[in-house]
Structures are given as structure tokens and as C-alpha cells.
């Protein structure tokens, strides 16, 4: 009887083991593998994050002497009247006699009035004015005289270069480009001289100023 019980016991154990193996195999294939949290390597970096924002663009700065595109302008009219012209708002203003000057950093707008018996011409500016400026502007060079049209009418334009006055603090001297516009009407002459560093791009601001000139 003992032998029979031993055989039956071994048979039962075998059945239990077989059932356990079958259950284990079926469980291992019933579902997706666990997600891996390991890095995929240096070749797959993320370019965005949930809820994040792109890095801000770098702050732009104007080259030395460039007048900002958003510069505002205000009308200037001398005490005696006669004309108006727009000048950059916020610039420092000084005046002496018939000359008013507006400055900001490296840029300058000079408005000079005078009585004149005749209108300036390309020839008169090329001889008389150029000769005078040679003795006034340090390293005066490259004068070019032409006749141009603005909203107020015809004007004589003199372009030239020269050195600025030395900075009182640093002693630095800047090479400037000048544009001098001579307007004339009925014995009155107004000269607008615009200047700034030679590498500055102030074509549009200077056009705004000179096109705004009008006789009153």
C-alpha cells in the first residue's frame, strides 16, 4: 500500500508543476512590455517641452549714430516765424542769434536763418560756402553740390565730410557726414545742416526732416 501512495503522490505533484508552468507562459505574453525610461542617446534631443516657450530673441541695438526707426518728430518754428520744420523729439536744443541746434548723442540738426539778396545756386555754394567751411570744419573733404527738390521746392544740397569736435570727456573724434540744404524765398534763406557718423544709415530720418520744411 505504501508504494501505491507514493506513486499517486508523485503523479499529483507532476500535475501541479505542469499547471504552474502553463500559467507562467501564458502570463508572460499577455500585455505590452514595460516602457523604458532610459535615454535614447545623444542623437535624439528634445526641441520643446510641454508648456514651455521658445527662447526670447536677442535684443537688437542700432549701430552708433543710427536714429531709431520709431523716432518721433515735432514741429519747430522760430520765434520770428517764417517757416516750420520737423525735428526729432527729445533732442537737446541750443540757440544763438539766428541759429538753432538740436543734438542727440552723435547726431546733429542745425537750422540757420539769414537775409539774402539772391537765391543760392550750385555755383555760389560750390565756391563761397565750400571755401568758408574749409576753414571751419576740421579735415573738411569731398564736397559735392547739387540741386534737389523737396516739398517746399528747390534747394541746393552740399554734401561733405569732416571731423567732429572732440568729446569733452573721452576726447574721441568721430568722422561725420554732412548734408546742408539751402532753401530760399523772397530775400530769406534757411540752411538745414544734418550730420552724423559716416557709417550711420540716416537716409530716412534726414528725408523726413528736409521734406517737412515749409514756408509760412
Amino acid at each position: 500500500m505504501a508504494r501505491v501512495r507514493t506513486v499517486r503522490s508523485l503523479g499529483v505533484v507532476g500535475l501541479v508543476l505542469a499547471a504552474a508552468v502553463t500559467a507562467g507562459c501564458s502570463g508572460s505574453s499577455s500585455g505590452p512590455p514595460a516602457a523604458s525610461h532610459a535615454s535614447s542617446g545623444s542623437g535624439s534631443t528634445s526641441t520643446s517641452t510641454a508648456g514651455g516657450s521658445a527662447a526670447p530673441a536677442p535684443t537688437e541695438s542700432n549701430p552708433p549714430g543710427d536714429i531709431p526707426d520709431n523716432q518721433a518728430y515735432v514741429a519747430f518754428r522760430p520765434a520770428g516765424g517764417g517757416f516750420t520744420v520737423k525735428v526729432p523729439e527729445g533732442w537737446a536744443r541750443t540757440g544763438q542769434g539766428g541759429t538753432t541746434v538740436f543734438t542727440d548723442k552723435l547726431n546733429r540738426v542745425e537750422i540757420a536763418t539769414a537775409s539774402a539778396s539772391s537765391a543760392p545756386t550750385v555755383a555760389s555754394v560750390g565756391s563761397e560756402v565750400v571755401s568758408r567751411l574749409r576753414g571751419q570744419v576740421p579735415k573738411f573733404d569731398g564736397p559735392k553740390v547739387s540741386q534737389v527738390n523737396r516739398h517746399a521746392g528747390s534747394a541746393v544740397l552740399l554734401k561733405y565730410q569732416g571731423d567732429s569736435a572732440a568729446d569733452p570727456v573721452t576726447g574721441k573724434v568721430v568722422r561725420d557726414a554732412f548734408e546742408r540744404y539751402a532753401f530760399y524765398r523772397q530775400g530769406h534763406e534757411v540752411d538745414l545742416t544734418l550730420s552724423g557718423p559716416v557709417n550711420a544709415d540716416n537716409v530716412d530720418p534726414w528725408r523726413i526732416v528736409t521734406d517737412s520744411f515749409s514756408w509760412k
Side-chain angles (χ1 to χ4, degrees), residues 109-154:
V109 174
E110 178 181 300
I111 307 168
T113 61
S115 297
S117 58
S118 60
T121 64
V122 171
S124 66
V125 171
S127 58
E128 299 170 13
V129 177
V130 168
S131 177
R132 183 173 71 249
L133 291 176
R134 285 190 187 278
Q136 297 175 346
V137 179
K139 296 184 180 180
F140 179 90
D141 188 38
K144 295 180 180 179
V145 187
S146 62
Q147 189 166 350
V148 296
N149 289 317
R150 290 296 184 263
H151 288 329
S154 178

Side-chain angles (χ1 to χ4, degrees), residues 70-200:
N70 61 353
Q71 172 67 55
Y73 298 82
V74 295
F76 164 74
R77 185 173 185 175
F83 68 90
T84 62
V85 62
K86 288 183 179 180
V87 296
E89 184 178 27
W91 286 23
R93 173 181 171 177
T94 58
Q96 184 176 5
T99 301
T100 304
V101 177
F102 296 87
T103 56
D104 180 71
K105 300 180 179 69
L106 301 176
N107 294 302
R108 188 173 188 267
V109 174
E110 178 181 300
I111 307 168
T113 61
S115 297
S117 58
S118 60
T121 64
V122 171
S124 66
V125 171
S127 58
E128 299 170 13
V129 177
V130 168
S131 177
R132 183 173 71 249
L133 291 176
R134 285 190 187 278
Q136 297 175 346
V137 179
K139 296 184 180 180
F140 179 90
D141 188 38
K144 295 180 180 179
V145 187
S146 62
Q147 189 166 350
V148 296
N149 289 317
R150 290 296 184 263
H151 288 329
S154 178
V156 178
L157 169 61
L158 168 61
K159 291 185 176 183
Y160 59 96
Q161 291 186 7
D163 284 357
S164 69
D167 185 280
V169 178
T170 65
K172 183 178 180 180
V173 174
V174 177
R175 188 66 176 169
D176 282 340
F178 295 80
E179 295 183 9
R180 180 187 182 274
Y181 295 79
F183 294 91
Y184 177 86
R185 191 180 75 164
Q186 299 176 352
H188 300 283
E189 182 175 337
V190 178
D191 300 323
L192 298 182
T193 303
L194 319 172
S195 61
V198 293
N199 293 325

Side-chain angles (χ1 to χ4, degrees), residues 44-49 53-54:
S44 60
T45 57
S46 175
T47 58
S48 62
T49 58
S53 58

